[in-house]
Amino acid sequence: LNVNYTGGYGYSTNDSYRKLALYLSDDIQITNRWNLNTGIRIEHQNKNEKMYDYGWHYDENGRRVHETIDKSRVMDKDFNNDWNYVLAANTVYKITSKFGLLAEATYNTWVDSYWDVPYRDANGNPIPDPATGRCNATIPNTYNINVLNYGGGIYFNLGNQFSVVSKVTKISKENIKYNSASITNKETGEKMDFSPIFYDISTLGWTTDIVASPFKNFNIHFLLTLQKPIYKNFSYSAFDITYNYNDNIIPELSKVLMEIDPSYTFMGGKMRGWVSLRYFGKQYGNPTNAFYYNPRWENFCGLDYTISRNLNLKLQVTNFLDQSGVKGAVQGADQITDADPYVGRIVSASGIRPRTIEVTANVKF
């Protein structure tokens, strides 16, 4: 298949890893009311990657020709002596037997690799090697992806009758690789390419999780999340236009999320009827936040029937309210800053699932 220099259709790679990891953990009972759990994972990683150096060249008529797999060479590279780390800790302090404080923190960093082209023009566009006349991704690179997650809150537990956990969490992720920073000047046809560039994301959120059984055989779960997932350190400029995504809401993510899951058990515990309602607040369809989708509910319901220890049946209806809606990222819209010209036009994203009825039988031998 014809491919482009970044892989495209027909991409193939063969990776092998050798990893050796050391795990250490400890549960510390500081006092009768306060306990601390800690852990660390240190991993040494050797990786061998074999991939085709897909690319393109100019033929004798000056036409750009994308190369097929039989025209590409195999790049064989060892990425050795890389280190991956995970550090984690969580703690609970019991103020009473049913009420207390909790906190947790996790840091995770690991090494990934990518291939870059060796020659670019003044606008950053990949160009052929002067010696071979071929443009291929032949320069290996590694980078670290870092994730930091920390937060704290309270809990209140009355056993099966009622329990609630409410906490604030901060999450950040650094060095996310972005390969779509290619801009074309509509007036001149001139192109500028920045790929790959690296950006960060961050979110501050408050989550409250409640499970209650107000009367016999009835259970309800309620989850509310308020969050602000945004881009950080993410901008680039081309042809006097700056694409600055900093502090924009990340596409496909909502600032408000809710889950409501009631269920009722009857027939001596053999049958369970349940409903699941999921609320998604306003979502954006591209990094500039020019496209957005109105809030929506997604809904499910079903019956679970346990015939015996070895056989149970399940009836599930997805979207029983028969709603329609749009979600997902709009394809090719990373540089669209004004949605007005697209009113009345078809853009490509995805939709919520239509009404679907499923019957499942689980048999254990």
Side-chain angles (χ1 to χ4, degrees):
L1 298 178
N2 289 332
V3 295
N4 58 39
Y5 69 89
T6 57
Y9 299 106
Y11 181 84
S12 176
T13 186
N14 182 12
D15 302 337
S16 61
Y17 293 85
R18 297 189 308 277
K19 298 182 178 183
L20 178 64
L22 173 67
Y23 299 80
L24 298 172
S25 64
D26 197 8
D27 300 332
I28 306 170
Q29 193 71 39
I30 300 174
T31 70
N32 291 334
R33 295 179 177 271
W34 186 14
N35 72 285
L36 173 66
N37 304 314
T38 61
I40 181 173
R41 179 179 185 271
I42 304 173
E43 179 182 77
H44 179 264
Q45 173 181 294
N46 290 331
K47 173 187 176 183
N48 175 264
E49 181 172 327
K50 296 180 178 67
M51 64 163 288
Y52 291 97
D53 65 338
Y54 297 110
W56 50 267
H57 65 275
Y58 292 108
D59 65 13
E60 62 275 6
N61 298 316
R63 293 175 298 188
R64 181 164 160 166
V65 179
H66 288 282
E67 295 173 351
T68 52
I69 195 169
D70 60 305
K71 301 295 183 182
S72 299
R73 299 166 297 177
V74 175
M75 305 298 295
D76 191 333
K77 171 65 178 177
D78 289 323
F79 299 91
N80 288 338
N81 295 319
D82 292 320
W83 294 89
N84 305 321
Y85 302 93
V86 178
L87 306 173
N90 64 78
T91 185
V92 175
Y93 184 79
K94 300 177 181 178
I95 298 176
T96 71
S97 61
K98 296 180 173 59
F99 174 74
L101 308 176
L102 52 85
E104 60 186 6
T106 304
Y107 178 72
N108 189 356
T109 178
W110 69 96
V111 179
D112 204 350
S113 61
Y114 70 98
W115 294 78
D116 204 352
V117 294
Y119 296 94
R120 296 178 182 267
D121 64 17
N123 287 336
N125 302 303
I127 58 175
D129 183 339
T132 64
R134 305 167 77 239
C135 180
N136 304 92
T138 58
I139 305 298
N141 293 277
T142 60
Y143 63 102
N144 278 79
I145 303 171
N146 307 313
V147 177
L148 177 62
N149 179 339
Y150 61 93
I154 62 172
Y155 73 91
F156 182 67
N157 189 359
L158 286 178
N160 294 329
Q161 292 180 313
F162 180 82
S163 67
V164 58
V165 176
S166 185
K167 63 181 182 178
V168 175
T169 303
K170 178 68 181 290
I171 306 174
S172 62
K173 185 175 183 179
E174 299 176 335
N175 296 331
I176 302 168
K177 186 162 64 73
Y178 179 70
N179 285 323
S180 300
S182 179
I183 313 297
T184 301
N185 189 327
K186 295 181 180 179
E187 297 180 359
T188 65
E190 187 180 10
K191 290 186 63 177
M192 292 185 69
D193 191 286
F194 305 88
S195 304
I197 61 177
F198 296 86
Y199 66 92
D200 308 330
I201 60 176
S202 175
T203 185
L204 177 65
W206 173 42
T207 299
T208 299
D209 195 350
I210 300 173
V211 177
S213 296
F215 53 87
K216 186 178 180 181
N217 297 333
F218 180 77
N219 179 272
I220 186 167
H221 169 247
F222 174 77
L223 177 65
L224 171 65
T225 300
L226 306 177
Q227 62 180 1
K228 191 178 182 181
I230 57 176
Y231 289 116
K232 291 290 185 182
N233 302 315
F234 197 5
S235 66
Y236 51 93
S237 300
F239 308 115
D240 299 323
I241 300 176
T242 297
Y243 300 92
N244 185 359
Y245 305 146
N246 289 323
D247 296 326
N248 284 2
I249 303 297
I250 299 171
E252 304 184 63
L253 299 181
S254 300
K255 296 172 71 174
V256 180
L257 297 168
M258 276 194 297
E259 296 181 19
I260 306 173
D261 305 308
S263 64
Y264 185 75
T265 303
F266 51 102
M267 291 178 60
K270 290 183 174 294
M271 182 78 78
R272 185 176 75 96
W274 57 271
V275 174
S276 181
L277 303 174
R278 309 291 174 89
Y279 174 80
F280 299 87
K282 180 180 179 180
Q283 292 183 344
Y284 291 94
N286 67 335
T288 64
N289 289 178
F291 293 109
Y292 70 89
Y293 313 127
N294 292 324
R296 70 180 191 276
W297 286 90
E298 294 187 6
N299 51 90
F300 312 83
C301 69
L303 289 171
D304 299 343
Y305 181 40
T306 301
I307 298 176
S308 67
R309 292 178 56 186
N310 300 322
L311 176 63
N312 62 76
L313 303 177
K314 180 177 181 179
L315 169 67
Q316 177 175 314
V317 182
T318 299
N319 195 4
F320 64 87
L321 297 178
D322 200 22
Q323 294 181 310
S324 61
V326 181
K327 64 179 182 179
V330 176
Q331 300 299 310
D334 287 10
Q335 285 87 40
I336 295 175
T337 57
D338 182 9
D340 289 342
Y342 295 86
V343 174
R345 295 172 56 184
I346 295 176
V347 294
S348 178
S350 62
I352 65 175
R353 290 181 61 183
R355 179 184 289 167
T356 307
I357 300 174
E358 303 171 63
V359 178
T360 304
N362 292 320
V363 181
K364 295 180 182 179
F365 298 97

